[in-house]
Amino acid sequence: DVYKRRGPAAPATLGAAQAEVAPGRYEAIRINGRELPAAIRVTAHRVEPILITVSAGVPAAAFAGNDDYNSALLALQGKLVQLPDFALNDQSGQRVTAASLRGHPVVLAAFHTTCRDTCPLYAAVLSQLNGRLAGGVRLLEVSTDPDHDTIAALRAYATLAATDWPLLTGSREELGAFWAPFGVQLSGADSHSNFLGVFDEHGYLRHTETGVPDAGQLPGGLAAVLSAEGARELASHGDGWGARQVADAVRALGAGGTASLPGGGRAPAFSAPALEGGTVSLSRFQKSPVVLNFWASSCPPCRREMPLIQTEARLAGVPVLLIAERDDPAAARAFLATVGVELTSALDPDGRLAGLYGVNVLPVTVFIRADGTVEGKYLGETTREVLRDHLAALTQG
């Protein structure tokens, strides 16, 4: 009888210690005299998982909360790539190590100083992130060209690009070992590997971008050194991702995933029933940027974010079209009246519009430029910082 078969026994457990602490937020846990940084939230009558890793019998790291706990389990199974233990030189000749980055999210890009096309665009993305993110985030560029990227070359490049974040180099062996976990090849001159990664505070890779970014304006004097191909890439929107999407990925680290998708391509045209009667179409917003927000009256995050979307969009002068997903019209009208939102609203009774825009969770916010192309798509509840980033991109470029 299949129902009587037994699986393997559960691992034995041992109660090592027990303590009472007041509800609140804690920044570390001390085990056997060793303090391990961790964002720990203690709530009455609620379980908060904490995973402690041990190396050679010594407590090594603490992972608190469901997201960090699950990430640590994936890492222990070898399913997450981690920053290697490195020691490289920056443009001032100072040694920068992996240990100096622990406890901080990191945005890392590959580059080499002789690149005249894509690398300057990656520098533009980091320049736009500089000062935009919380103070604990570290920005970093690491060379892929040990033959030409001497400390003097890095110093000259930092001056040209007006950068104040570390540019790192090392020997061929050091740089090869650094880039090997990410599949980035050492290169230089007219060849290179494009890579940008977002790492959490434990050094685990949580988000990657490759290809050509939507760079906007280049910092310092980098525009003057672009090749014809680099200028063409800069004039395009690249592969649809840029500083906004990377910033979204950093902000989403605490939520356990990436909340933003790149843009690119034209927004699919549509016509749909308007909530108050008649029809509304995307062509109504022709030659104007517009924000589409997919929502439902049964969605709590939609209730929280919608007044913020209305406020920020009005401040930016960008129209918003709300799209109620498979919702009853009466329920949708009651919802909008309750949250105090007065925006143009359309109905998507059969999910056709959601299918056009690849929407399978709620809420989703799509940012569309005046030329009809998609700047980006944000999955989940937006914030003031997210909205201001994307709305600025719609109104300034």
Side-chain angles (χ1 to χ4, degrees):
D1 189 336
V2 69
Y3 296 105
K4 293 182 180 179
R5 293 178 185 171
R6 293 186 177 181
T13 60
L14 174 66
Q18 181 173 327
E20 291 187 5
V21 295
R25 295 177 180 271
Y26 297 83
E27 297 179 352
I29 183 171
R30 184 177 290 109
I31 297 179
N32 198 27
R34 184 177 176 86
E35 189 170 284
L36 306 176
I40 303 170
R41 179 187 299 173
V42 177
T43 306
H45 311 297
R46 181 174 174 178
V47 174
E48 176 85 351
I50 302 176
L51 186 147
I52 309 295
T53 59
V54 178
S55 177
V58 178
F63 302 82
N66 287 319
D67 295 326
D68 260 11
Y69 181 91
N70 291 330
S71 295
L73 290 178
L74 290 173
L76 291 170
Q77 298 172 53
K79 296 180 179 179
L80 289 181
V81 180
Q82 190 174 25
L83 271 174
D85 189 15
F86 69 89
L88 299 171
N89 296 318
D90 70 8
Q91 63 266 39
S92 63
Q94 298 296 311
R95 205 73 165 153
V96 176
T97 67
S100 68
L101 302 176
R102 287 179 190 142
H104 300 279
V106 173
V107 179
L108 162 72
F111 89 114
H112 59 271
T113 60
T114 55
C115 176
R116 297 293 179 258
D117 41 62
T118 310
C119 294
L121 276 59
Y122 277 71
V125 171
L126 266 65
S127 179
Q128 292 161 29
L129 292 172
N130 198 19
R132 172 181 290 180
L133 300 173
V137 180
R138 299 289 188 261
L139 305 179
L140 202 64
E141 288 186 85
V142 176
S143 173
T144 59
D145 186 1
D147 296 331
H148 296 93
D149 285 348
T150 62
I151 292 174
L154 295 188
R155 188 180 302 118
Y157 188 86
T159 301
L160 176 69
T163 69
D164 60 1
W165 55 85
L167 309 176
L168 303 186
T169 192
S171 67
R172 177 166 291 275
E173 292 72 22
E174 289 171 328
L175 292 180
F178 180 92
W179 285 119
F182 314 112
V184 173
Q185 302 295 315
L186 296 187
S187 52
D190 296 326
S191 64
H192 52 79
S193 297
N194 296 327
F195 175 88
L196 183 144
V198 174
F199 297 79
D200 65 21
E201 64 271 25
H202 303 292
Y204 294 116
L205 180 61
R206 305 298 294 273
H207 178 86
T208 59
E209 296 287 0
T210 58
V212 180
D214 182 4
Q217 185 174 356
L218 297 188
L222 284 180
V225 303
L226 281 183
S227 65
E229 175 61 18
R232 185 197 66 77
E233 291 178 349
L234 179 63
S236 73
H237 291 302
D239 293 314
W241 67 270
R244 281 89 57 196
Q245 285 74 25
V246 178
D248 291 343
V250 173
R251 294 173 184 133
L253 287 177
T258 300
S260 185
L261 295 176
R266 296 196 65 80
F270 63 84
S271 180
L275 183 59
E276 299 302 333
T279 60
V280 61
S281 64
L282 188 63
S283 61
R284 170 177 174 175
F285 306 96
Q286 193 171 14
K287 297 183 180 180
S288 166
V290 63
V291 174
L292 305 183
N293 179 252
F294 291 82
W295 64 284
S297 60
S298 59
C299 164
C302 302
R303 180 177 296 274
R304 292 191 297 266
E305 75 168 1
M306 198 174 290
L308 182 63
I309 291 176
Q310 176 174 262
T311 298
E312 294 299 325
R314 283 178 174 173
L315 287 173
V318 176
V320 177
L321 175 58
L322 304 177
I323 301 176
E325 275 305 298
R326 303 176 188 268
D327 224 337
D328 175 74
R333 282 191 286 269
F335 175 96
L336 295 178
T338 300
V339 298
V341 167
E342 298 177 353
L343 295 169
T344 304
S345 304
L347 296 168
D348 187 19
D350 57 3
R352 180 179 63 87
L353 303 188
L356 283 177
Y357 283 85
V359 173
N360 50 31
V361 298
L362 293 176
V364 168
T365 306
V366 182
F367 301 89
I368 302 174
R369 301 184 184 94
D371 64 3
T373 60
V374 177
E375 182 275 331
K377 183 165 69 173
Y378 193 88
L379 313 182
E381 183 178 351
T382 56
T383 65
R384 180 170 281 103
E385 292 78 12
V386 167
L387 289 167
R388 289 183 177 178
D389 270 0
H390 290 274
L391 289 169
L394 297 187
T395 57
Q396 296 173 6

